[in-house]
Amino acid sequence: MEKVVRQLEDVTIRFAGDSGDGMQITGAQFTNVSALMGNDLGTFPDFPAEIRAPAGSLAGVTSFQVHFSSREIFTPGEQCDALVVMNPAALRVHLGFLRPQGILLVNTEEFKPRNLTMAGYASNPLEDQSLSAYQVFSVNMTKLTREAVKDLKLSVKESERCKNFFALGMAYWLYQRSMEPTVQFIRDKFSKRPELAEANLRALQAGRNYCENTEQFGSSYRVPAAKLRPGRYRNITGTTATVLGMIAAGQKSGLEVFLGSYPITPASEILHQLSRYKNFGVRTVQAEDEIASVCMAIGAAYGGSLAFTTTSGPGVNLKAEAVSLAISVELPLVLCDIQRAGPSTGMPTKTEQGDLLQVLYGRHGESPIAVLAGSRPSDCFDTIYECARIAVRYMTPVVFLSDLFLAFGAEPWMFPSSADLPPIPVRFRTDPEGFQPFQRDLETLARPWAIPGTPGLEHRIGGLEKEHLTGNVSYDPKNHEMMCRLRAEKIEKIAQEIPPTRIDGPESGDLLVVGWGSTYGAIRTATEKKREEGKSVSHVHLRHLNPLPPDLGSILYRFEHVLVPEINLGQLLKVLRARYLVPAVGLNKVQGQPFETTEIEAKIDSILRGEP
Amino acid sequence: MEKVVRQLEDVTIRFAGDSGDGMQITGAQFTNVSALMGNDLGTFPDFPAEIRAPAGSLAGVTSFQVHFSSREIFTPGEQCDALVVMNPAALRVHLGFLRPQGILLVNTEEFKPRNLTMAGYASNPLEDQSLSAYQVFSVNMTKLTREAVKDLKLSVKESERCKNFFALGMAYWLYQRSMEPTVQFIRDKFSKRPELAEANLRALQAGRNYCENTEQFGSSYRVPAAKLRPGRYRNITGTTATVLGMIAAGQKSGLEVFLGSYPITPASEILHQLSRYKNFGVRTVQAEDEIASVCMAIGAAYGGSLAFTTTSGPGVNLKAEAVSLAISVELPLVLCDIQRAGPSTGMPTKTEQGDLLQVLYGRHGESPIAVLAGSRPSDCFDTIYECARIAVRYMTPVVFLSDLFLAFGAEPWMFPSSADLPPIPVRFRTDPEGFQPFQRDLETLARPWAIPGTPGLEHRIGGLEKEHLTGNVSYDPKNHEMMCRLRAEKIEKIAQEIPPTRIDGPESGDLLVVGWGSTYGAIRTATEKKREEGKSVSHVHLRHLNPLPPDLGSILYRFEHVLVPEINLGQLLKVLRARYLVPAVGLNKVQGQPFETTEIEAKIDSILRGEP
Amino acid sequence: MNQAAAPEIASRPLTKKDFESDQDVRWCPGCGDYAILSQVQKVLPELGIPREKLVFISGIGCSSRFPYYMNTYGFHTIHGRAPAIASGLRASRPDLSVWVITGDGDALSIGGNHFIHLLRRNLDVRILLFNNRIYGLTKGQYSPTSELGKVTASTPMGSIDYPFNPISLALGAEATFVARTLDRDLAHLHETLRRAAAHRGTAFVEIYQNCNIFNDGAFEVFTEKETKLAHVARLEHGKPILYGPKNEKGIRLKGFQLESIDLSKAEARMEDLLVYDAHCPDATLAMIVSRMTGENNLPLPIGVFRSVSRPCYDDSLNEQVRKAKEMMGPGDLDELFNSGDTWVVQPSS
Amino acid sequence: MNQAAAPEIASRPLTKKDFESDQDVRWCPGCGDYAILSQVQKVLPELGIPREKLVFISGIGCSSRFPYYMNTYGFHTIHGRAPAIASGLRASRPDLSVWVITGDGDALSIGGNHFIHLLRRNLDVRILLFNNRIYGLTKGQYSPTSELGKVTASTPMGSIDYPFNPISLALGAEATFVARTLDRDLAHLHETLRRAAAHRGTAFVEIYQNCNIFNDGAFEVFTEKETKLAHVARLEHGKPILYGPKNEKGIRLKGFQLESIDLSKAEARMEDLLVYDAHCPDATLAMIVSRMTGENNLPLPIGVFRSVSRPCYDDSLNEQVRKAKEMMGPGDLDELFNSGDTWVVQPSS
Ligand SMILES: Cc1ncc(C[n+]2csc(CCOP(=O)(O)OP(=O)(O)O)c2C)c(N)n1
Ligand SMILES: Cc1ncc(C[n+]2csc(CCOP(=O)(O)OP(=O)(O)O)c2C)c(N)n1
Ligand code: SF4
Ligand code: SF4
Ligand SMILES: [Mg+2]
Ligand SMILES: [Mg+2]
């Protein structure tokens, strides 16, 4: 049978199954192949909070979504065009994300009464017409895999474990992906167990052949290469981008990188990855708790290291007192907050932007701090690099905000060459002549970085209020006010280096959508769409949240309406309204999930229609 | 010689000396006598951060200020009419607070080269004309005291230690105070050492006689009794008012009071005082740190106690994660933040209002909390009582904000009778029928308080997101949003019980001054003064900072200008601007000192003159 | 509420089933936590404490999910703080039986301070520490009980943190009851839980627990049939410390060192053996024995290391409250308001 | 920076004066802190460490004001966290000599967790704990070392918290160097500081310090001429534990109990006495001896309880960095960027 190949601009596919089903590897392979085929990409994995919940349970479902395209894209996709489910629980959890008429590839083997019950199905959805809105392809992948490998003398368990590659083979046929990179991957991965390599290869091939040969599938799809900026690319998650940014900042500043951390989802992965780069002189310490981890970083910063501490919301609470010390003694430090859904333990494996106000204001007294946020996985590299640069230039702690969606999401990154990175000049104070620990640089108001070990600069610092210039303890009323204002002014000074704000869309008009952090992709896509529809809608995405860009106020005033979409109940919104007195409104979602483009589009439409 | 007695409306006197000089007792006696004579009063002590710095050093100076009046007053006074200094260091530190032409009583004995040098004087100010702006009375109080007691066979040290009563005797003559209460006090205090009682009595009398008999003093002053509301009064500090409020809330709710605390200035005194009331069933625990102390309070609240935790700024940082847990599991708890000057250790013995934003926003995720602030020492009673009432009625943590100035300041309090206090009804859930741990009361959105020990209500709670009604762990996206919004709505509901906002001055006009916390007295005095001058200036002082009073917005819009004076860099200001989009401006002071009325007056004038 | 009350006896005998909640248990299949849960559910009916008087308080970690599975009162709190929350509850509610469930990370890393302070205060609380020598919930970082050199997600070149010995640490922190048991030795686990329940004061039980995902087999030699008898010695008060497949080995003290002797050998004498004393007021013996870790030809001791009586913080606190009421009379609010120097302002006529 | 370097010898011999800063010392007159400050300033010149290589890190408390008075690098941090800040500094700067100054509240109450973790990690840091058994700076609340029944500002009816024994706690936390000395015994203080300085690893020194304002005389029997000889025993490695005005008393082991014997009596024999071994790999002996507190007819031991060698966390960390560089070569940024699967997008022609 000759099959039709249709061309599509972009496709979102999601692989979902039990924790033991290998969905993460499957998704990663699909991603890799698509990257090598020249598509633009966005990916996002989704894990359960339980480590390995009972097989077949709803709690045990894990998934990986790939959005690949022949044009530039900014998100890992929202509604899926295709969904691969390995069992009833996966169907139950993920069906809601499949668009009407979407392709549903189902592994029928697991649709047995026990599993159906565990997934909360009263009847078998494959048989009760409840899936009639979709193009359902029911295939017993497990059985077909067993058969494909049966003469290899593997145990049943080992045989069946190859079924994810069967599913991948089907997906490869469906979207006309090249097999070669995955064939190579399997050969490498199982180089010590050739029989397993063979089994997985057969499963992959069998899946592909099944689609090619059976009548079930009438057409396949092609997504041509995208026109990306020429250059060398790699796929990168927000986490890896952050880690590389830390190392790059260390190399470019000539400082040794120190990380004090305590494991917490979704930040732990930074600790894991960074700890592998000791050959860059990187020191990572897993401390006894968050307080110790930030204190260790402060100790290292005091000693002249480029110090980081990584955590998520609950850890930021615990670090606040020590961050306040760093503000008071004016030492450089980057606090990375990889946000997750709160309050309290909340939903630790779900995303949120709930910590903006806490990092801005969550310390006692007047303790101003710089705050920057990454906006897409690859942007985490540039943002953390800039955080480090500001920290050492202004001698101040800086907060790097990211979130679970950014940290785990991935996209192609045209990586820079080290020579092109902005310099991070650091000069430790060494001259004892006229040294005063709190004498400030006129341009930045930074105090000198005078590290222990430097002869002649012996001095004392501490958390009590310090006398201007000398740094001696002072309870003088006017001095305290001066120091409070100087610390605030120093942070405000950072604004002098913020580049002009980029506006996507017209410079003035009906509506400006202002975002920060991981909402970038959804807002960008939605606002572009609206402009394509001829609407006067622009987009500003803030990297610098404190201080805000100096030109922001004048931009805001040029628009009729201002909309601030956030994955919280309106935090940047409060900041902008207080600062600029603009009647901005929020679009707020707190579901542990990113925005869907359509949600933002709908809000834009309603504002433009003049609805309240 | 016949001496003149002049009548004054009000007077501020400050006693200042070395830590060992007994200035606190002296001030307290002056206060007590003035109260019994019917004056209205405000007092404020000032301690150094060091426990007992070297005698004669600037760091060792301590003082006590008394403002007493024949009309109603609201502050412990600002510029002093009279200053008593026991040594050069005290003169150096406090002279700036004496008004021009003010009375300066100096103990000359200590004005020796060594002490002058320690105080940083190059020449003796008593001799170099530098005090010519004041009415200086130089008296060798130490020597005169020694002489007065010389036949009592005391050691020199013991004799000299009576000199504070000599100074007090002088002050009593100067302001025509009755001696009797202090005579009684001395007899009681030294009942076991009659020779010391005698010595102090002689010193007191000698001081008075000295003024009466020498030519040095031409006139004395009388401040008649004030027309206070009839009733029974006592003098009360903010701290004691807070402690009594806690006990009262316990008694009226029928709950046992539990305090988990860790010592920190200026909050420790609450722990000290409350721990003396075990006969009220009060349990106080000094925990190993702030985290443990709030966690113990949460444990006690879970068990059905009326739970408090007390601290200052740095401790609030540390408690944030646990407060977030209390918000998530919806347990009642009152967190008392007695603010001091930050950031970091800052100036621990100085006042500030620097923690408003931290208590509002200093937690991860969306974790809304109720916040109330006391405005004068006696108001701490009503405010903490209201905090406790809200906590148990809405099943939520509530923040009680006070500060060092309120905590240590004192004023007369017409105390209520317990019967007049608002009821605090509490009903623990006991009926297992239809029990759901997160089913809400329709009026308050509070969940039931179902304490361990209740048969049939066994259930589990925790910091993970909870399913509406059942409280089971839930990762459902829509449920999370619903719960976040319900928690926020519950806090907003409290607004339904906030009484109409009291406006001092016209209901609309040129300028509204909005304050919160300990700035009450200064703002009230300044705005009254301006109204007396015929200016259209009103005053609103907020007890409820979250939620804000429902009528506040409409009040703000009725004034041309809004001024928000704060002892910080503009925190309530941010909140009001963001919420109501009013172009309010701030008057900000961060010197570890309260406002002076004149500072507020000057700002009012400049706004009314249209200056930016 | 808040009156000290002897735990009432429930009206009908409870069974294990009564202690199972309706929530699906979500640990990995094969996790040692299952066995512990099951034994706790089996021990409770034997204690005669009514279900509503039982409270399980946990921190965060795989182990800390425990309370959800118990049909008693339960509170899954925050990482490391369960001992403090339990302290507040117990200090104010002497009628409740309070149990802390924690992990090696939860109790000894972030929660280390609350752990040692609870032990010294000796509130009447049980602490069950599930020691799997790894962070399970956060996917496999090393913990304060992980061995030196361990390669984990956060230590690609091996751990360089010298581990705590939880028993030694507890003894150094003035604990009054210290025990160790194993997830796989059900009878011993059962018995140890019973003893912990019987102790008045803080009862600390370290339970070796297998995490078959991130640290599988960490305690294998102590739990597998072939090796366990040769490597595990049960401490029994008043008896010599014996072990070996036929109890043919014993522990003898030589100076301050312990040594293993083979009783089947000629020169070895039973009388030389160390007779265990768990009730010794001094913790020294327990301390020496805690240093045996199943290595260097010495066995791993399990059982009760120490069990002595000392006043509980909660009892003392309640006693102070009682005494204050007795001495000063129950507080009267109006009297309280009206104390110190007061004065009257008369209505002006 | 950051290279391991043997502390250089300063160019001219330093004196006590060199270590005095220009700040006025602001402790209460008569406070024991003065004596400690002075001895530290006297010991330092003897160590041959250049001033700029010395860093004093403190928490919050009266004692923690210490760094301000030292003409070295100094960091007065936040309450309880000095051990963690010191750890970060030392882990990244092996060339510095790092000293932690702390109090009984700072180290054992709020800072308890960092304290025990520093000890187990054994970073090369000295901890001087000024134990006055009270919170001085916050005006007299009881501390974790205050005795039961103590009446303080926060315990009007007496403390009910059973205190820590800091030496025992440190030993239970795997400390490698543990010592005790007294503010009033200058020679002993001096010598103990010297030994602590010489230890490679975490050297913990508890210093009994009189707070004459809030807890005056807490250690009087151990410091006053009339009583001290009868109540204090000096531990010396390899020697029997003797005390008494004429060293006529000694300590003997009886089972696991220590007892005092009077050598002037007939039946007492010198050979029966416990010979102290501070270098014993096992901490048992130190633990037993730590239980003597100067009460019950037994003396208070002072001196070095334990001094053993174990790899330091900081050394191991630096070794891993060295090894990684050796194995993988010093990192190259461009290579790092360009790793994993990469692909090229060609300019469209
Ligand atoms: C304040 C805070 N920090 C970190 C975490 C992340 N966290 C959760 S559990 C855990 C460690 C769990 O280890 P353990 O106590 O040994 O329990 P196990 O999972 O092994 O049973 C960590 C680091 C958290 N939830 N909260
Ligand atoms: C986070 C925090 N909590 C509490 C305090 C208040 N505080 C300062 S020092 C101290 C205790 C001091 O006792 P100790 O460590 O024994 O030192 P000492 O003054 O006796 O030398 C306390 C509770 C603080 N500064 N910071
Ligand atoms: S990760 Fe380990 S400890 Fe956690 S549930 Fe799984 S097996 Fe058990
Ligand atoms: S309060 Fe005590 S410890 Fe503090 S300085 Fe005074 S005497 Fe020393
Ligand atoms: Mg564990
Ligand atoms: Mg102390």
Side-chain angles (χ1 to χ4, degrees), chain A residues 262-263 290, chain B residues 321, chain C residues 60 62-63 79 104-106 132 134-138:
Chain A
Y262 186 71
E290 281 85 356
Chain B
E321 193 206 2
Chain C
I60 301 284
C62 292
S63 34
H79 197 31
D104 43 325
D106 195 58
N132 54 14
I134 200 82
Y135 286 5
L137 190 69
T138 47

Side-chain angles (χ1 to χ4, degrees), chain A residues 109-137:
Chain A
E109 167 99 355
E110 302 292 328
F111 282 68
K112 295 171 188 158
R114 201 186 110 82
N115 288 339
L116 289 165
T117 314
M118 274 179 92
Y121 282 115
S123 68
N124 188 341
L126 300 179
E127 292 162 5
D128 66 6
Q129 305 303 322
S130 60
L131 302 175
S132 56
Y134 311 98
Q135 304 176 52
V136 182
F137 300 97

Side-chain angles (χ1 to χ4, degrees), chain D residues 305-317:
Chain D
F305 286 73
R306 175 169 168 80
S307 169
V308 299
S309 120
R310 195 173 73 212
C312 299
Y313 183 97
D314 39 338
D315 289 339
S316 306
L317 181 61

Side-chain angles (χ1 to χ4, degrees), chain D residues 157-174:
Chain D
M157 297 178 76
S159 158
I160 55 177
D161 274 41
Y162 192 84
F164 281 135
N165 177 323
I167 304 288
S168 303
L169 181 65
L171 293 170
E174 314 293 334

Side-chain angles (χ1 to χ4, degrees), chain A residues 46 144 172 190 193 259 341 369 372 387 401 411 445 465-466 518 537 553 558 571 581 607:
Chain A
D46 193 27
L144 290 170
Y172 279 2
F190 297 102
R193 303 266 328 253
L259 172 66
I369 200 168
L372 285 76
C387 287
L401 279 176
E411 64 176 0
L445 293 183
E465 187 55 284
K466 283 149 290 288
S518 67
V537 176
R558 297 203 297 263
Q571 303 199 358
L581 294 179
I607 290 177

